[in-house]
């Protein structure tokens, strides 16, 4: 009997069914079952933000060290511009980036509102915000802001700084007319006279000082929360080794910045399209010496959280200290922190 006639013929319908079944089995085998499809899978791209208020991000982007390192694993690097902490948080929450630069207090707002992120590294201790007014303004104190139009970017350190300053003066957001604008638009509004004051952010604040004579009528370095690098919680769980590589890149950028202040000034000026005098003004009030979360850093972020609860930005039922503990993850930075620095931070 001929072999071609020894078995019944398979119909087109049966063939299609068997093909579909085989494809399903192959997919299941490749994925390892539901719930583990992406666990342990190396991403093709790592996405970071860069921000003019985060000089280390500009150095890392310009030097290309991370691209060279990750290329060995066939991983690409994508950079996304964050105009403020609120934008970085938005990108993190929407998985548009894996790492984002914010103020510590802004990261706390995100965490309290359900943004699944971890703060893993301090990229600066800046005095990057103050309350500003025009050169001819009669405003001299925070109390003078009562009834005035004040520009600020909600969800960012300047906004939180404004709330803390008002609170200290016995006022609240209800005592002013808040004009919500992104940082560069706030500077423009102040210069045009559309607002009476502005909660500024460097480098826009330094630019306003030097180019239009803006006055920083209220400064308080202790109210500036630290510049922190955040990672999406899911990304950190699935790719801890990549988090280590990114922080190693950041630490290389920090050490380079400390050792090359003139080159850092030029990098900031070039990337942010500033003149070097404005870049120098921003950098003279930016401390790059610490990368760790110690009691002082936690206390600063927690104090901002208390005022944010009072203002209604954070729900009254949120436990601030617990949220700060859930936000901060020190395991990654500790791997690149010298023992001497660890001992100092713990005090």
């Amino acid at each position: 009997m001929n072999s071609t006639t020894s078995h019944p013929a398979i119909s087109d319908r049966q063939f299609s069914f068997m093909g579909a079944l085989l494809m399903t089995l192959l997919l299941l085998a490749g994925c390892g079952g539901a719930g583990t499809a992406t666990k342990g899978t190396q991403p093709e791209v790592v996405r970071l933000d860069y921000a003019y208020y985060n000089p280390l991000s500009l150095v890392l982007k310009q030097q290309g060290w991370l691209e060279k390192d990750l290329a060995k694993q066939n991983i690409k690097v994508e950079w996304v511009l964050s105009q403020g902490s609120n934008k970085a948080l938005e990108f993190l929450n929407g998985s548009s980036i894996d790492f984002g630069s914010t103020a510590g207090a802004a990261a706390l707002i995100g965490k309290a509102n359900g943004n699944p992120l971890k703060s893993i590294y301090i990229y600066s201790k800046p005095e990057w915000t103050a309350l500003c007014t025009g050169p001819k303004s009669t405003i001299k104190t925070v109390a003078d802001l009562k009834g005035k139009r004040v520009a600020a970017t909600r969800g960012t350190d300047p906004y939180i700084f404004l709330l803390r300053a008002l609170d200290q003066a016995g006022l609240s957001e209800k005592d002013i007319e808040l004009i919500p604008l992104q940082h560069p638009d706030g500077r423009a509004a102040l210069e045009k006279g559309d607002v009476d004051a502005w909660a500024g952010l460097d480098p826009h604040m330094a630019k306003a000082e030097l180019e239009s004579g803006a006055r920083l009528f209220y400064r308080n370095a202790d109210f500036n929360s630290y510049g922190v690098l955040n990672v999406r919680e899911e990304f950190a769980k699935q790719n801890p080794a990549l988090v280590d590589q990114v922080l190693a890149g950041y630490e290389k950028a920090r050490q380079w910045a400390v050792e090359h202040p003139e080159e850092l000034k030029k990098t900031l000026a070039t990337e942010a399209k500033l003149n070097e005098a404005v870049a120098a003004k921003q950098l003279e009030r930016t401390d790059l010496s610490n990368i760790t979360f110690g009691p002082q850093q936690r206390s600063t972020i927690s104090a901002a959280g208390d005022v944010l609860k009072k203002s209604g930005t954070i729900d009254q039922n949120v436990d601030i200290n617990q949220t700060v503990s859930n936000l901060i993850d020190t395991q990654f930075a500790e791997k690149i922190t010298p023992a001497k620095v660890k001992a100092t931070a713990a005090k």
Side-chain angles (χ1 to χ4, degrees), residues 129-132 150-153 156 158-159 161-162 183 197-201 205:
T129 186
L131 300 185
C132 313
V150 184
T153 308
T156 67
Y159 171 70
F161 183 93
L162 172 63
H183 303 301
W198 167 53
L201 179 74
M205 185 169 70

Side-chain angles (χ1 to χ4, degrees), residues 62 102 111 117 127 131 147 191 199 207 285:
Q62 187 181 73
T102 71
K111 191 69 172 178
L117 56 85
E127 188 193 356
L131 300 185
E191 292 174 347
K207 188 177 178 70
R285 46 193 182 218

Side-chain angles (χ1 to χ4, degrees), residues 64-91:
W65 294 319
L66 194 58
E67 283 85 345
K68 292 175 185 175
D69 185 31
L70 295 184
K72 300 170 187 175
Q73 299 159 250
N74 294 316
I75 299 175
K76 296 180 180 179
V77 175
E78 287 184 2
W79 294 95
V80 177
L81 176 64
S82 289
Q83 292 281 11
S85 292
N86 62 325
K87 290 299 181 184
L89 290 170
E90 179 183 316
F91 296 152

Side-chain angles (χ1 to χ4, degrees), residues 92-306:
L92 284 164
N93 199 35
S95 298
S96 298
I97 56 175
D98 304 307
F99 297 86
S101 315
T102 71
L108 177 64
I109 294 176
K111 191 69 172 178
N113 290 332
N115 194 331
L117 56 85
K118 290 286 187 181
S119 296
I120 57 173
Y121 180 88
I122 293 176
Y123 59 78
S124 72
K125 180 189 176 183
E127 188 193 356
W128 55 15
T129 186
L131 300 185
C132 313
T133 193
K136 297 180 181 179
S137 173
T138 58
I139 294 173
K140 291 184 170 58
T141 68
V142 177
D144 294 336
L145 292 178
K146 189 170 184 177
K148 298 293 195 295
R149 292 166 57 85
V150 184
T153 308
R154 290 188 187 276
T156 67
D157 223 31
Y159 171 70
I160 298 162
F161 183 93
L162 172 63
L163 294 182
R164 294 191 71 180
L166 290 170
D167 183 69
Q168 189 178 63
L171 301 174
S172 73
E173 185 178 331
K174 295 177 182 178
D175 294 302
I176 64 170
E177 184 181 353
L178 184 76
I179 309 299
L181 295 170
Q182 281 296 133
H183 303 301
D185 299 325
R187 175 178 63 84
L190 181 69
E191 292 174 347
K192 292 176 183 175
D194 294 339
V195 295
D196 302 298
W198 167 53
L201 179 74
D202 274 335
H204 310 289
M205 185 169 70
K207 188 177 178 70
E209 271 187 280
L210 295 179
E211 296 182 2
S212 62
R215 288 190 299 107
L216 278 53
F217 70 92
Y218 180 74
R219 297 173 68 172
N220 187 334
D222 292 338
F223 280 5
N224 288 251
S225 70
Y226 296 76
V228 303
L229 184 69
N230 307 286
V231 64
R232 289 192 301 110
E233 207 164 349
E234 182 183 21
F235 184 93
K237 286 179 181 178
Q238 294 173 352
N239 306 284
L242 283 176
V243 177
D244 289 339
Q245 286 179 275
V246 169
L247 285 202
Y250 253 91
E251 185 59 9
K252 185 174 183 178
R254 186 188 71 84
Q255 292 175 4
W256 183 93
V258 170
E259 294 168 5
H260 301 86
E262 281 300 310
E263 289 90 339
L264 175 63
K265 179 178 68 177
K266 291 177 181 177
T267 295
L268 175 58
T270 299
E271 291 291 319
K273 298 179 176 58
L274 306 170
N275 67 52
E276 290 193 12
V278 172
K281 175 66 73 174
Q282 174 181 346
L283 292 172
E284 75 182 26
R285 46 193 182 218
T286 302
D287 181 359
L288 302 174
S289 63
N290 174 65
I291 68 171
T292 59
F293 290 93
Q296 183 178 348
Q297 289 75 25
R298 292 172 184 268
S299 176
T300 297
I301 296 171
S302 295
D306 292 335

